[in-house]
Amino acid sequence: MNRFLAAAFALLVPTLALADVDSRFAKLRDESEPLGALGAFLEKYVGECDGAFVDPQCKANAEAFRKKYTGKRLYMIITEDDATMLSAGDYNPGNNDYTINITPFFGGGKYALTHGAPKKTDAQGNPVMNYLTVSGTAPDGWNGGVFSRLFSTRGVRAQVVFTPQSVWSLPKKGGGKVFGVNARVEAVVLTEGRSGGHMGLWLNGKDAPK
């Protein structure tokens, strides 16, 4: 990571979140290029070049952009208001253990980044994705209500490391196609937005927590 990117990266990452991030995630994050606006990235990567007023260089630009970023590890922060892919799972009041469900569909503008390429859509025309599940233990003073409200009031932030792989498409309800970016999500760390407290980690592959 060059000095310019390192400086920009330091401004992007909240201090409290840095203190609480698992060292395994921190290593992946520090080896990744920080991403700015997800929507702009997806638009350039997909490179949908249909229409009468499209730049003649559109396809060539998209191919060059994909060549640059395919297989490259990237890092992004999803703020609380945008973290609609997170939902409360089970909560055990006996020991305060909980699960958090992550739908690996990260929307940006008219496209989305997904963990793997979806194979079908639901009745509403949305791509069907399997959950990624994060486990954790709530601190003293929490209960099921406190835990659930963090999601209903958008109180959880996500940090994601991913590697773009290709463009996917599915038939669109009403005609046409819907496009997105197929990625390998390497890791997701979740923190409480207000305090920065660590809530859970999902890791892809052999280092994933059991």
Side-chain angles (χ1 to χ4, degrees):
M1 186 182 295
N2 63 37
R3 291 182 180 180
F4 176 79
L5 285 176
F9 180 78
L11 292 173
L12 280 171
V13 181
T15 302
L16 282 172
L18 273 171
D20 284 334
V21 166
D22 184 288
S23 61
R24 294 167 295 177
F25 181 88
K27 183 177 187 297
L28 288 170
R29 178 202 62 206
D30 293 346
E31 294 172 348
S32 304
E33 180 179 322
L35 187 70
L38 177 60
F41 171 83
L42 296 176
E43 184 172 350
K44 291 179 180 179
Y45 194 96
V46 170
E48 193 176 356
C49 298
D50 296 330
F53 302 103
V54 172
D55 186 331
Q57 294 299 311
C58 178
K59 289 186 178 180
N61 292 339
E63 288 173 1
F65 191 84
R66 286 195 292 269
K67 184 177 180 180
K68 178 180 179 180
Y69 284 102
T70 296
K72 187 171 188 176
R73 189 175 287 163
L74 302 172
Y75 164 79
M76 64 179 173
I77 296 173
I78 301 174
T79 59
E80 296 88 325
D81 287 342
D82 293 328
T84 56
M85 73 294 301
L86 306 179
S87 60
D90 295 330
Y91 188 94
N92 186 332
N95 56 17
N96 281 357
D97 286 351
Y98 59 75
T99 59
I100 299 169
N101 297 321
I102 306 169
T103 302
F105 182 94
F106 305 95
K110 62 184 289 189
Y111 304 111
L113 177 89
T114 60
H115 178 49
K119 304 299 183 185
K120 61 181 180 179
T121 58
D122 61 20
Q124 287 72 47
N126 301 310
V128 176
M129 305 295 301
N130 293 325
Y131 283 144
L132 309 179
T133 302
V134 169
S135 300
T137 301
D140 292 341
W142 282 35
N143 56 37
V146 172
F147 175 68
S148 296
R149 278 193 296 276
L150 281 174
F151 299 91
S152 62
T153 60
R154 300 294 173 211
V156 182
R157 174 174 295 206
Q159 299 175 58
V160 184
V161 173
F162 66 95
T163 304
Q165 296 183 322
S166 61
V167 175
W168 57 259
S169 66
L170 286 172
K172 187 177 182 180
K173 189 176 182 180
K177 291 185 176 181
V178 57
F179 294 91
V181 174
N182 166 26
R184 173 185 165 91
V185 174
E186 308 288 355
V188 182
V189 71
L190 305 179
T191 54
E192 186 184 358
R194 179 178 55 82
S195 69
H198 181 80
M199 291 192 68
L201 170 71
W202 183 88
L203 281 174
N204 197 341
K206 63 183 179 61
D207 294 324
K210 304 299 183 183

